[in-house]
Amino acid sequence: MVTIRLTNSKTRKKEDFIPLDPANVRMYVCGPTVYDRAHLGNARPVIVFDVLNRLLRHAAKENGWGKVTYVRNFTDVDDKINAEALRRQKAGAAGTLEDLIHERTEETIAWYHADTDALGALRPDHEPRATEWIGAMVAMIEDLIAKGHAYEANGHVLFRVRSYAGYGKLSGRSIDDMIAGARVEVAPFKEDPMDFVLWKPSSGEEPGWPSPWGKGRPGWHIECSAMAHELLGESFDIHGGGLDLQFPHHENEIAQSACAHPHGQFARYWLHNEMLQVEGKKMSKSLGNFFTVRDLLDQGVPGEVIRFVFLMTHYRSPMDWTAEKALNAHRTLTKWYRQIGLSTAVAPYQPVVDALADDLNTHEALTQCHALSNAGDFSALRGSLVLLGLFDGNIPAWAQVPGFSDAETGLVRDLLQKRDQAREQKNYQKADAIREGMKRAGVVVRDLKDGEPEFEKAKNFDVNVLDAVWGET
Ligand SMILES: [Zn+2]
C-alpha cells in the first residue's frame, strides 16, 4: 500500500491523496503554448508532473487502483503564433495563413516532444490541442451565458467575475486586491475591470471559427476548462501547473468550471511548481542567461543529467540551475549507470517510494539512491532509477564505457567496489587478489585522484575469466 501525501494549494495543507474513482485516477496539467522552443523553466512542470504520473502509476499497481489518465494540453491558439505566421507570410512564405499557423504549431509540437522525450518524461495519455476542441469551448461559453455568468459585449464574450463568490480562493486574494495588483485591461465594454475574455472577435486576416457571436477565437482560460471537462469529467483528482499560472489562469479555470458545472468539484487537489533561476538570477533574454532545453542537449548535457538536477530540488522550492550542479549530476549518474549494468530489474527501494509519496520529495529519493549505490545494492538502485524516470532499461550511450558491454562494465565496477572496500577494511590480501584477477582477465585499471577509476580492455581480455574472478570474491 502506497499512501501519497500532496500539498494542496487549494487548502494550503498536506493531505492524503484519495482518488475520487480508484478505477480511473485523473490528472490535468496546463501545457505549453506551441510558439517556440521550450526554455529551461518550461521543463520544470514537465519533470515534476512526470514524477507524479509515474508515482501514481506505481501506486495504482500497489494499491489495486485501475488506470491513471494524464492529460496535458497544447495551446495552439495564440496571438503570438498568429503574428509569427503573418510575419512569415509577409516575408514570402508560401501557403495560406492557416497553413503557416499549422506548420508553426506542428513544428513546435515536434520540438516539444523531442525535448520532453530526452528528459525522460512519459507522454501524457491525452495531449489535446485547443484547435480540436473549439466546439466544446463554444458550448461551454453558451452555457455560461445562459446561466448568467457571462455576457456578450462588443463582439466579445466576457466572464462576469463577480457572479462567482469563490473567485480568488485558490490564490487567497480578494477581487479588490487583485484589481489593485494586476494589470487588468480596462476595456470600455467590460462591466467590471476583472471580467476576462472567453471569446474574442477575429478581424479579416486573423484566424477564427464561426460562433453565435460571429467569427472569432477562444480566450486562453476557457481552453483548459473545456478540454478537462471533455476528457476527465466534471470532477477529477489533480490539476497541476507552474506557480505563475495560479493567478489569473487557474482562478479563471475554476470560475468557469464551477459555474458551468455547479454539481462538479472540478479539481480536488491543486499542485503548483515553483519557478527556476539560472546561476542565482532570473532567466531573461536581457541578462544573456536565457537558454532552451535544446541548447543544453546540443552542448552535450544529457537529458538524464538535466532531469537529475531538477530532481535535486523540491518542486515547491525555487530551483537554481548551475553548471556545477550539472557537472556533479553527470558524475553521479555515470557511476550509477555503470553500477547497475550487471543488475536485474527489481521493485524500487521502499524508502525511495516513501520519499516520493511524501509530497514528491525527490531530493530525499536521490539521497536514498546514493545510499544504495554506496551499499552496493545495485538491483534496488536500478528499480529506483526506473521509478524516478532516470533509467529506461538501457544504459545511455554517453554513460557506457567504450568497448565494454553493460554487463562487462557492471562486473568491473562491482570488482572495483569490492577492492576499495577490502582496502578500507585493511584486507590487503583480498584487495590484491581482486587486482591480480582483473589483470588475468585483461582489464587495465587506472585509478584517478578525483572521480571514478577508468578502465579498458587489454589484448588478453576474457569475460569468462572476469566472471570467474567476480564469482570467487
Ligand atoms: Zn490551464
Side-chain angles (χ1 to χ4, degrees):
M1 180 77 192
V2 180
T3 304
I4 299 175
R5 289 175 62 75
L6 300 170
T7 299
N8 188 352
S9 307
K10 201 159 92 176
T11 57
R12 292 165 187 78
K13 285 192 189 101
K14 209 194 254 191
E15 299 172 353
D16 281 357
F17 173 71
I18 300 156
L20 275 170
D21 174 10
N24 185 13
V25 179
R26 289 158 291 169
M27 172 162 78
Y28 186 94
V29 174
C30 296
T33 299
V34 284
Y35 162 68
D36 214 344
R37 284 256 182 220
H39 67 69
L40 194 61
N42 301 139
R44 198 159 189 206
V46 171
I47 293 168
V48 166
F49 294 104
D50 180 64
V51 171
L52 180 53
N53 181 35
R54 287 170 182 270
L55 175 67
L56 290 170
R57 275 159 215 263
H58 179 75
K61 253 191 291 169
E62 296 288 310
N63 300 356
W65 298 342
K67 62 176 179 173
V68 174
T69 307
Y70 174 21
V71 179
R72 185 183 61 210
N73 66 302
F74 282 122
T75 296
D76 59 352
V77 181
D78 181 82
D79 289 349
K80 284 197 299 271
I81 302 173
N82 303 341
E84 172 63 18
L86 196 62
R87 192 195 60 77
R88 279 201 202 179
Q89 193 180 50
K90 284 188 175 149
T96 65
L97 199 60
E98 270 73 21
D99 292 341
L100 292 170
I101 289 170
H102 188 70
E103 235 171 62
R104 178 74 178 191
T105 56
E106 283 298 311
E107 188 179 30
T108 312
I109 287 170
W111 290 341
Y112 190 77
H113 277 151
D115 292 351
T116 54
D117 290 351
L119 295 172
L122 301 172
R123 300 261 181 107
D125 302 286
H126 300 281
E127 296 182 286
R129 300 175 188 196
T131 49
E132 291 166 355
W133 296 91
I134 302 286
M137 296 176 212
V138 169
M140 195 167 184
I141 296 169
E142 285 186 292
D143 187 28
L144 286 168
I145 294 174
K147 288 177 172 149
H149 295 294
Y151 57 95
E152 194 188 347
N154 202 29
H156 294 68
V157 180
L158 293 135
F159 186 87
R160 189 175 277 130
V161 166
R162 289 190 196 264
S163 76
Y164 175 57
Y167 196 83
K169 264 196 187 148
L170 179 71
S171 49
R173 322 172 196 210
S174 73
I175 294 183
D176 295 316
D177 284 351
M178 285 184 269
I179 294 174
R183 274 175 290 170
V184 291
E185 191 196 342
V186 187
F189 51 85
K190 281 187 181 183
E191 286 180 6
D192 187 283
M194 280 308 287
D195 293 350
F196 59 87
V197 168
L198 298 173
W199 188 265
K200 55 185 160 188
S202 294
S203 64
E205 60 190 5
E206 289 170 328
W209 289 264
S211 82
W213 321 286
K215 183 189 159 197
R217 56 199 194 278
W220 170 38
H221 315 297
I222 193 73
E223 250 185 53
C224 289
S225 285
M227 293 190 288
H229 178 254
E230 294 301 309
L231 294 163
L232 298 176
E234 286 189 2
S235 308
F236 56 92
D237 296 295
I238 299 170
H239 193 309
L243 190 60
D244 54 337
L245 299 182
Q246 195 175 43
F247 173 78
H249 182 55
H250 290 161
E251 291 287 3
N252 294 355
E253 279 190 40
I254 291 172
Q256 295 161 161
S257 295
C259 292
H261 311 295
H263 302 296
Q265 309 178 47
F266 197 39
R268 282 179 72 186
Y269 302 86
W270 283 81
L271 263 72
H272 290 99
N273 65 271
E274 255 285 0
M275 300 291 103
L276 171 130
Q277 295 192 322
V278 173
E279 308 283 353
K281 292 196 181 72
K282 192 174 184 275
M283 190 162 72
S284 80
K285 283 191 171 139
S286 61
L287 285 174
N289 65 352
F290 183 95
F291 48 87
T292 63
V293 174
R294 178 53 48 186
D295 291 336
L296 281 180
L297 295 170
D298 287 348
Q299 286 161 22
V301 182
E304 295 87 354
V305 169
I306 301 173
R307 185 178 178 100
F308 188 106
V309 172
F310 277 72
L311 298 182
M312 286 164 73
T313 305
H314 189 260
Y315 76 97
R316 297 183 64 238
S317 300
M319 81 159 266
D320 193 21
W321 173 272
T322 69
E324 198 193 340
K325 279 185 186 173
L327 200 68
N328 287 331
H330 198 287
R331 259 191 219 133
T332 302
L333 275 176
T334 305
K335 181 169 106 181
W336 289 358
Y337 286 138
R338 290 176 185 177
Q339 288 177 329
I340 65 176
L342 192 66
S343 61
T344 47
V346 297
Y349 186 44
Q350 194 56 40
V352 170
V353 178
D354 292 344
L356 294 184
D358 180 18
D359 201 22
L360 304 183
N361 192 341
T362 49
H363 182 85
E364 174 60 21
L366 291 178
T367 303
Q368 293 296 337
C369 288
H370 278 290
L372 289 172
S373 162
N374 293 337
D377 190 349
F378 303 146
S379 293
L381 178 61
R382 180 187 178 120
S384 303
L385 294 183
V386 171
L387 178 64
L388 286 165
L390 287 169
F391 183 61
D392 68 358
N394 298 299
I395 307 287
W398 62 267
Q400 288 167 7
V401 181
F404 283 78
S405 72
D406 292 345
E408 289 165 355
T409 306
L411 285 170
V412 175
R413 286 277 335 143
D414 208 28
L415 279 167
L416 287 170
Q417 174 123 354
K418 286 179 183 174
R419 181 201 64 176
D420 293 345
Q421 270 168 0
R423 278 180 183 168
E424 270 170 34
Q425 292 158 357
K426 303 205 189 310
N427 186 347
Y428 298 112
Q429 204 185 345
K430 186 177 177 184
D432 286 348
I434 294 171
R435 190 179 44 125
E436 282 303 313
M438 295 220 290
K439 201 170 161 188
R440 253 188 298 130
V443 180
V444 182
V445 178
R446 238 186 345 268
D447 283 302
L448 303 176
K449 253 192 186 162
D450 189 23
E452 289 296 298
E454 287 180 354
F455 46 91
E456 60 187 14
K457 286 180 181 176
K459 277 213 180 77
N460 65 330
F461 178 80
D462 188 332
V463 72
N464 295 318
V465 177
L466 187 65
D467 201 34
V469 173
W470 182 79
E472 285 159 15
T473 52

